[in-house]
Amino acid sequence: MIALHNQLARTDGYTETLVDDVRLTRSTQSSTKSPAMYDPCIAIALQGHKRTYFGNDILQFDADHYLVVAVPMPFTATTEASPENPFLGLSIRVDRTTLADLMFAIDQSENEVPAMPKGMMTTRMDERLRDTVLRLLEALSSPLEARVLGPAIVREICYRALMGEQGAAMRAALTSQGQFGRIAKALRRIHADYAADIDVGMLAAEANMSVPAFHVHFKSVTHCSPIQYLKSARLHQARLLMARSDMTAQSASAQVGYESPSQFSREFKRYFGRSPSEEVHAMRRLLSLQPAETLRLL
């Protein structure tokens, strides 16, 4: 798996693959605690490791444990890597339609005790999942196999995650039922339109909760207040717009709902510890996006 990854992802940052929902990650530099926010995904490490700090939880993410993000969550993370021992990984975007189809099939045959939903969790890798990841990397090396076999292998990886040690908690989070489901819908509402004039009262009303109850349940899911989450989501999106679309700080701030560029710059520096220009420069260096590469298997 490491040999295949090294040939498919030759530079630091993210590398696109021939399967739309799959990206490869490579990093030869360690990083200290820094704010992050992942879209719903399954993230698998092949070498090196990361630690994610989510509320009072510390989640280890390495070659023996994969990370599942059911709903977008703000957290801080560290990476341990070096040129001699780079961090190598891949992430699979969680497609809600595929997961809904899988969960329906699983629920028809499984009669297990309901689990508490979790928005983010790590689970131990087992041999069947490891074998499926190997087959995915092999398929990504061939345009024909990537097109014909890739989507089915991605679906199998999603199935393995849903049936893993924390699969019941993952399925509970993705079914969008109960209080967790109401909060998950509020999170999707925030991410669907960053620039909208959203306030806590509006989100609470859409969730059919009182404002105090919404605060309590929101914090139990995200480990932060609704206002803190909204601010972090907008700042992360603005950072991506500046890094990936060459937007100025002023344009990016307006795009995500800030009326005052100076307020945006102050909050950005307070959150990321660097000015927008400094952070974007560092992000472009560490998180560049490369096109897909193929190799010929002998």
Side-chain angles (χ1 to χ4, degrees):
M1 287 193 288
I2 290 172
L4 288 166
H5 190 290
N6 281 332
Q7 294 177 78
L8 289 165
R10 303 172 187 273
T11 60
D12 277 19
Y14 293 117
T15 299
E16 294 179 322
T17 73
L18 299 171
V19 177
D20 289 340
D21 291 337
V22 181
R23 280 185 181 178
L24 304 178
T25 308
R26 180 185 183 91
S27 177
T28 56
Q29 299 181 38
S30 293
S31 65
T32 56
K33 263 190 181 183
S34 57
M37 180 177 282
Y38 289 175
D39 288 331
C41 68
I42 300 168
I44 297 168
L46 307 179
Q47 180 175 280
H49 70 264
K50 291 178 180 281
R51 286 190 182 90
T52 62
Y53 300 84
F54 178 54
N56 294 322
D57 297 331
I58 301 176
L59 305 178
Q60 180 84 359
F61 165 36
D62 55 28
D64 294 319
H65 302 85
Y66 60 95
L67 177 73
V68 174
V69 181
V71 291
M73 294 289 185
F75 58 94
T76 57
T78 62
T79 303
E80 289 193 17
S82 66
E84 299 75 28
N85 188 42
F87 177 86
L88 305 176
L90 63 136
S91 64
I92 298 170
R93 185 179 68 86
V94 170
D95 179 73
R96 292 186 61 83
T97 302
T98 298
L99 289 176
D101 182 44
L102 287 170
M103 287 189 293
F104 177 78
I106 292 168
D107 289 342
Q108 297 304 301
S109 58
E110 292 290 315
N111 294 309
E112 59 188 3
V113 177
M116 288 294 294
K118 293 182 181 179
M120 186 162 64
M121 66 209 82
T122 53
T123 303
R124 183 173 295 278
M125 285 280 283
D126 60 33
E127 287 306 313
R128 289 184 296 179
L129 180 56
R130 205 182 302 273
D131 175 68
T132 310
V133 173
L134 172 59
R135 286 190 283 111
L136 176 62
L137 289 167
E138 289 171 340
L140 293 176
S141 306
S142 160
L144 179 60
E145 290 195 4
R147 185 173 71 251
V148 176
L149 302 178
I153 300 174
V154 166
R155 180 184 173 88
E156 182 180 346
I157 290 175
C158 292
Y159 169 79
R160 298 290 177 201
L162 289 170
M163 295 299 291
E165 292 178 5
Q166 303 242 33
M170 181 181 176
R171 297 199 300 276
L174 291 165
T175 53
S176 294
Q177 295 179 356
Q179 306 293 3
F180 186 100
R182 295 183 187 185
I183 300 303
K185 288 178 181 177
L187 301 184
R188 290 194 291 273
R189 168 79 165 85
I190 290 171
H191 287 268
D193 192 356
Y194 294 96
D197 186 15
I198 300 173
D199 60 41
V200 178
M202 177 192 303
L203 293 173
E206 291 178 359
N208 198 25
M209 295 182 186
S210 67
V211 171
F214 182 77
H215 267 278
V216 170
H217 290 295
F218 193 99
K219 195 162 187 178
S220 71
V221 172
T222 65
H223 297 284
C224 64
S225 71
I227 292 298
Q228 289 171 325
Y229 184 96
L230 178 60
K231 184 183 297 184
S232 64
R234 284 174 168 168
L235 292 173
H236 277 289
Q237 179 65 13
R239 182 173 68 158
L240 283 173
L241 289 171
M242 288 185 287
R244 298 268 170 84
S245 304
D246 288 328
M247 279 193 181
T248 64
Q250 183 172 352
S251 296
S253 66
Q255 190 83 6
V256 299
Y258 276 85
E259 295 182 357
S260 167
S262 59
Q263 180 188 0
F264 168 77
S265 294
R266 287 194 305 272
E267 293 186 356
F268 190 100
K269 188 168 186 178
R270 190 179 304 123
Y271 188 74
F272 290 107
R274 289 187 280 213
S275 69
S277 59
E278 292 169 337
E279 178 66 14
V280 168
H281 177 74
M283 193 176 181
R284 283 175 178 163
R285 178 166 47 85
L286 296 173
L287 301 177
S288 60
L289 181 62
Q290 304 296 326
E293 292 192 34
T294 61
L295 61 104
R296 293 181 180 176
L297 295 177
L298 301 178

